[in-house]
Amino acid sequence: PGRDFESEDFVISDCTFLHGHGISIGSETYGGVRNVTVKNCTFENTENGLRIKSDVRRGGLVEHISYSDIKMANVNPAITFTTFYANNSAGDAARGITAQKNNLAGDRIPIYRDIQIRNLTATCPKSAGIILGLPDDCISNVVFENVKISAKTGLTIRNAKEIDFKNSSVVTERGPAFTGENAQVEGLNTSK
């Protein structure tokens, strides 16, 4: 009502997350979210680490998000940026592509852009994470700088562009550092 962004100018710092879903933006983002800074935080044994979540029934513009100086241990996964929020957490009954296909009917399109992740280390017992945009509205301009993730499997990146890894690595027990579809990724090698 009368504002471009319903949620803006947040700083979350010096926090320790010991259980639950980590730090989340969404799922209700249709009013817009911008200028969020998360810094100097520790995550241990959380189901998610950094998460932005919405879908086409409740989405909006999420931009200018900054994460820095983050330490994660036993977090599954470290990164979850998804525009297919329904049924994608570990405890949900239905997961994967079927849930995603059922989540395309709506007119509140989530748009994520200008996200910075700096100085992050993480160990993940399963996946490093997902970056999952819509086919026609890709997640864009995500920069990973000085990020080190160790996980059983790598990142899944789909419907995303301008994903840039600088001095960063994803080390996996099996498979490539990332798998992509309709993904423009720079600086992260696909070999183990």
Side-chain angles (χ1 to χ4, degrees):
R3 294 175 44 187
D4 290 336
F5 286 84
E6 293 296 318
S7 300
E8 62 184 332
D9 302 325
F10 291 94
V11 176
I12 299 101
S13 67
D14 305 301
C15 294
T16 300
F17 299 85
L18 297 175
H19 56 81
H21 294 274
I23 186 92
S24 296
I25 296 173
S27 65
E28 303 288 343
T29 63
Y30 59 84
V33 179
R34 72 174 171 192
N35 302 334
V36 176
T37 299
V38 179
K39 62 183 178 179
N40 299 321
C41 291
T42 301
F43 298 75
E44 295 178 18
N45 305 310
T46 58
E47 186 176 312
N48 289 280
L50 309 179
R51 182 166 70 159
I52 303 173
K53 57 187 176 123
S54 197
D55 62 34
V56 296
R57 295 170 291 127
R58 52 192 157 190
L61 178 59
V62 177
E63 67 177 0
H64 308 304
I65 311 300
S66 173
Y67 304 100
S68 64
D69 303 312
I70 306 290
K71 293 181 179 160
M72 298 181 181
N74 197 34
V75 172
N76 189 47
I79 308 294
T80 303
F81 299 157
T82 183
T83 57
F84 292 94
Y85 172 55
N87 302 315
N88 69 3
S89 289
D92 293 342
R95 299 181 70 193
I97 300 299
T98 302
Q100 293 171 17
K101 287 181 180 176
N102 292 335
N103 193 23
L104 288 173
D107 61 358
R108 292 185 170 165
I109 305 302
I111 299 168
Y112 307 159
R113 65 185 183 206
D114 301 323
I115 301 167
Q116 311 293 314
I117 303 167
R118 290 189 174 87
N119 304 323
L120 177 144
T121 58
T123 59
C124 305
K126 295 182 182 175
S127 167
I130 61 171
I131 298 174
L132 184 57
L134 293 165
D136 295 328
D137 287 290
C138 293
I139 293 173
S140 64
N141 193 19
V142 180
V143 175
F144 293 81
E145 186 172 353
N146 299 321
V147 170
K148 311 288 185 222
I149 301 174
S150 297
K152 190 170 195 176
T153 60
L155 285 167
T156 298
I157 303 173
R158 186 178 299 139
N159 303 321
K161 62 184 179 180
E162 300 169 7
I163 310 300
D164 193 10
F165 288 84
K166 300 175 181 179
N167 191 35
S168 296
S169 64
V170 176
V171 177
T172 64
E173 289 181 28
R174 66 172 197 252
F178 83 92
T179 56
E181 178 183 323
N182 189 29
Q184 179 192 36
V185 179
E186 298 290 331
L188 189 61
N189 195 333
T190 58
S191 63
K192 188 173 173 185

